[in-house]
């Protein structure tokens, strides 16, 4: 395990490359969901308001 | 045939089938990326020259390859939009740009991290590295152009034009290692005949490439779905798709 | 100026800045690549400038690497299989630096010795486990058919100007 984490002395390079990849991909993947929730909530609110007019 | 394509390119139709296919693609992408990462990090031998630092290949090469494919797809969509004014094509072009920019950023950053121990430098003003940096600026330029113009159609046309002009950069990136004396080595994957990577190291690389592809499609489709709802928010089908009760009742009453 | 005109102005300025930045980077990259590259045989023949920085690329001659005992200073010869130049470097060499490897050194000529301030290692597109590399080497009379910088020779010696 220790040996695996050390990556033959390249731990800093290998792990940081994978960590940055994970962070960028997760952020990219989450963004549309956040936007969708915001948009749908705003639309539902507006329709409700229109109905109560 | 044409009527089929026409129907396929209508926003409500896309919204319907993409709702089924997007989660499936997302699951496939997650599975491929997970298996590929674990396999590449733990179950491949070390390289005879680079030792364990070669493992960066499993994130660097897929990101770099897809940064070019996504750009081509974006420019293709942009051209279709400019010529035939198909709305869905513009939605696609807009949805591809952020994913492509993310892949390009990853290719640059992981390449820099890989270059330090192997070549001995984080960065060189070298043909391959510089042209990939220009690709990042092109993606950012296309996105900035779209958001800086207030009128949607005008913004879409300007962004499409820049995307198409930027296509000249794609072959430059691809052939830079052959045309100039680049520090970057030739392509490992696209070499036909004898593969340049040993079979024991190749499988996770292919898994990661397909994982990035499915990630791109799933991510771009979910972006496109949000974009379509935003653009067509006053249309009836959007209300129905989002389950607006009053709209459903009205529709039931009409029947 | 109306808001519409303002956004147009921003658009034009952004486009101009973007295109000029791209052009600047291209020329910077091309300039670095086109200029100042000499092969060891050209340096040995006295064709390289003595008052200007340039780059030398070639293969590290096996057995020529001599390291100083107490500093990072290292001397080695690079060759294009026609001529040889001695390179002196004081710094940390990249991990892929080894005898027979293709390298590119940045620096200046001082007498007959090329004093480098940067040494970069090139590698090729081949990846394989050590055992397979050994087997490949054995089956090819102890010489790596590619890799080890040998396959890089043509590319390192660059610009397709093969010396006669």
């Amino acid at each position: 395990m220790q040996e695996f984490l050390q990556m033959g002395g390249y731990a800093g390079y290998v792990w940081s490359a994978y960590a940055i990849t994970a962070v960028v991909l997760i952020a990219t993947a989450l963004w549309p969901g956040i936007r969708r929730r915001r948009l749908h909530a705003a639309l539902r609110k507006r329709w409700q308001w229109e109905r109560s007019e | 045939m044409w009527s089929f394509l026409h129907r396929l390119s209508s926003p409500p139709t896309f919204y319907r089938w993409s709702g089924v296919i997007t989660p499936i693609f997302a699951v496939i992408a997650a599975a491929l990326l997970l298996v590929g990462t674990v396999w590449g990090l733990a179950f491949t031998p070390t390289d005879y020259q680079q030792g364990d630092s070669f493992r960066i290949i499993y994130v660097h090469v897929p990101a770099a390859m897809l940064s070019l494919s996504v750009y081509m797809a974006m420019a293709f969509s942009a051209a279709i939009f400019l010529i035939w004014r198909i709305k869905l094509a513009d939605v696609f072009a807009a949805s591809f740009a952020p994913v492509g920019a993310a892949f390009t950023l990853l290719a640059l950053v992981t390449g820099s991290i890989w270059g330090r121990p192997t070549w001995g430098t984080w960065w060189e003003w070298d043909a391959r590295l510089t042209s990939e940096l220009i690709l990042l600026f092109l993606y950012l330029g296309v996105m900035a152009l779209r958001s800086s113009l207030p009128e949607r159609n005008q913004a879409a046309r300007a962004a499409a034009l820049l995307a198409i002009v930027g296509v000249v950069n794609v072959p430059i990136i691809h052939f830079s290692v052959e045309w100039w004396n680049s520090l970057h080595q030739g392509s490992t994957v696209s070499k036909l005949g004898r593969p340049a990577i040993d079979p024991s190291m190749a499988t996770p690389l292919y898994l990661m490439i397909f994982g990035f592809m499915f990630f791109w499609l799933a991510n771009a489709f979910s972006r496109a779905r949000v974009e379509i709802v935003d653009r067509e928010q006053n249309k009836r089908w959007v209300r129905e798709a989002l389950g607006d009760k009053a709209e459903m009742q009205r529709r039931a009453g009409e029947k | 100026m109306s808001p519409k005109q303002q956004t147009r102005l921003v658009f034009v300025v952004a486009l101009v800045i973007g295109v000029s930045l791209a052009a600047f980077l291209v020329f910077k990259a091309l300039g670095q690549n086109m200029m100042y590259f000499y092969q060891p045989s050209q340096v040995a023949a006295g064709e390289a400038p003595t008052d200007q920085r340039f780059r030398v690329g070639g293969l590290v001659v096996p057995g020529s690497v001599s390291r100083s005992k107490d500093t990072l200073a290292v001397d080695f010869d690079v060759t294009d299989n026609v001529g040889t130049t001695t390179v002196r470097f004081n710094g940390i060499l990249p991990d892929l630096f080894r005898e027979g490897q293709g390298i590119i050194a940045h620096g200046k000529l001082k007498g007959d010795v090329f004093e480098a301030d940067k040494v970069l290692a090139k590698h090729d597109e081949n990846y394989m486990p050590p055992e397979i590399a050994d087997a490949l080497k054995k089956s090819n009379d102890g010489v790596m058919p590619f890799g080890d910088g040998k396959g890089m020779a043509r590319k390192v010696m660059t610009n397709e100007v093969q010396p006669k």
Side-chain angles (χ1 to χ4, degrees):
Chain A
M1 191 65 196
Q2 189 71 12
E3 198 186 336
F4 172 66
L5 289 177
Q6 279 170 355
M7 280 288 155
Y10 293 109
Y13 300 109
V14 174
W15 292 116
S16 65
Y18 278 82
I20 290 167
T21 305
V23 168
V24 171
L25 288 188
I26 289 169
T28 309
L30 290 183
W31 180 242
I34 295 170
R35 233 195 104 192
R36 187 187 60 220
R37 235 158 292 155
R38 244 187 253 154
L39 176 68
H40 289 197
L43 287 179
R44 291 219 170 86
K45 212 169 160 187
R46 209 185 70 202
W47 292 333
Q48 206 161 26
W49 179 77
E50 279 172 6
R51 228 172 298 148
S52 67
E53 277 287 278
Chain B
M1 173 70 190
W2 281 113
S3 70
F4 170 73
L5 275 181
H6 198 260
R7 208 155 2 107
L8 204 66
S9 75
S10 95
T13 314
F14 168 77
Y15 195 82
R16 231 166 290 133
W17 66 258
S18 66
V20 178
I21 216 158
T22 307
I24 298 175
F25 280 8
V27 169
I28 295 175
L32 286 171
L33 292 176
L34 207 69
V35 173
T37 301
V38 173
W39 192 334
L41 281 174
F43 299 105
T44 49
T46 56
D47 181 58
Y48 75 115
Q49 280 208 309
Q50 300 187 26
D52 280 309
S53 69
F54 102 97
R55 294 181 199 284
I56 297 173
I57 197 176
Y58 299 118
V59 286
H60 175 75
V61 166
M65 276 179 75
L66 268 294
S67 72
L68 295 181
S69 319
V70 174
Y71 195 91
M72 288 310 289
M74 180 179 78
F76 186 69
S77 306
I80 287 181
F81 167 71
L82 272 191
I83 299 167
W84 288 286
R85 291 293 144 96
I86 295 172
K87 277 184 275 176
L88 192 65
D90 179 48
V91 171
F92 275 139
S95 307
F96 288 160
V99 201
F103 287 172
T104 313
L105 181 71
L106 281 179
L108 286 166
V109 172
T110 57
S112 174
I113 293 172
W114 197 4
R116 178 63 236 186
T118 46
W119 297 340
T121 183
W122 296 105
W123 184 262
E124 272 287 287
W125 290 105
D126 161 286
R128 169 55 75 77
L129 280 61
T130 310
S131 54
E132 183 77 10
L133 183 64
I134 290 171
L135 186 73
L136 180 64
F137 292 158
L138 278 170
Y139 273 122
L140 297 179
V142 167
M143 286 158 71
L145 208 51
R146 186 183 285 280
S147 59
S148 69
L149 294 178
E151 209 273 300
R152 177 177 294 144
N153 230 330
Q154 194 188 8
R157 259 174 289 164
L161 220 56
L162 179 58
I164 292 166
V165 169
V167 165
V168 289
N169 192 36
V170 171
I172 294 180
I173 296 175
H174 186 80
F175 293 109
S176 55
V177 290
E178 286 158 38
W179 291 345
W180 292 288
N181 170 42
S182 172
L183 192 61
H184 199 285
Q185 67 283 7
S187 171
T188 298
V189 180
S190 70
K191 217 156 131 183
L192 293 171
R194 182 181 61 78
I197 183 163
D198 190 76
S200 61
M201 301 164 158
T203 314
L205 184 58
Y206 299 139
L207 292 180
M208 292 299 272
I209 290 169
F210 283 112
F212 270 72
M213 273 182 198
F214 278 102
F215 180 94
W216 160 37
L217 293 176
N219 195 256
F221 283 176
S222 30
R223 281 167 198 275
R225 287 166 62 76
V226 181
E227 189 68 30
I228 284 173
V229 169
D230 193 4
R231 291 185 186 193
E232 312 231 313
Q233 49 180 265
N234 293 324
K235 297 229 171 115
R236 230 188 217 188
W237 75 265
V238 171
R239 290 188 162 209
E240 280 168 31
L242 295 197
D244 187 50
K245 279 185 204 115
E247 180 62 30
M248 309 288 243
Q249 279 159 10
R250 196 166 73 193
R251 196 181 160 94
E254 271 172 19
K255 280 178 188 165
Chain C
M1 206 161 32
S2 75
K4 210 171 173 183
Q5 284 171 321
Q6 268 178 359
T7 48
R8 276 192 209 131
L9 185 69
V10 170
F11 159 53
V12 169
V13 170
L15 200 67
V16 169
I17 292 175
V19 170
S20 22
L21 192 66
F24 166 73
L25 293 177
V26 168
F27 281 109
K28 195 169 160 87
L30 291 184
Q32 283 237 348
N33 273 285
M34 298 302 184
M35 287 187 306
Y36 316 143
F37 192 98
Y38 291 89
Q39 295 166 215
S41 58
Q42 292 177 305
V43 178
E47 290 169 28
T50 50
D51 55 344
Q52 226 181 20
R53 284 172 51 80
F54 63 95
R55 301 186 300 166
V56 163
L59 303 179
V60 178
V61 178
S64 73
V65 182
S66 72
R67 291 166 203 267
S68 150
K69 277 200 184 83
D70 35 65
T71 65
L72 287 170
V74 58
D75 280 16
F76 56 89
D77 295 344
V78 288
T79 181
D80 54 3
N81 295 332
V82 178
T84 300
T85 303
T86 301
V87 176
R88 182 164 297 151
F89 179 60
N90 203 334
I92 296 163
L93 290 164
D95 290 359
L96 282 188
F97 180 91
R98 56 195 70 175
E99 294 178 355
Q101 185 79 33
I103 63 107
I104 295 166
H106 296 219
K108 227 175 153 175
L109 208 54
K110 205 168 188 185
D112 288 341
V113 177
F114 185 79
E115 292 213 324
D117 48 41
K118 197 177 192 181
V119 173
L120 302 175
K122 271 199 78 137
H123 64 90
D124 59 20
E125 63 273 33
N126 299 294
Y127 301 89
M128 65 188 99
E131 311 86 66
I132 293 187
D134 285 345
L136 211 61
K137 208 167 167 176
K138 225 169 261 165
S139 69
N140 200 41
D141 301 329
V143 183
M144 208 54 191
F146 52 83
D148 268 2
K150 297 283 193 306
M152 289 318 299
R154 186 175 32 87
K155 279 190 173 170
V156 168
M157 289 167 209
T158 199
N159 298 356
E160 276 88 49
V161 193
Q162 290 297 336
K164 277 153 205 132

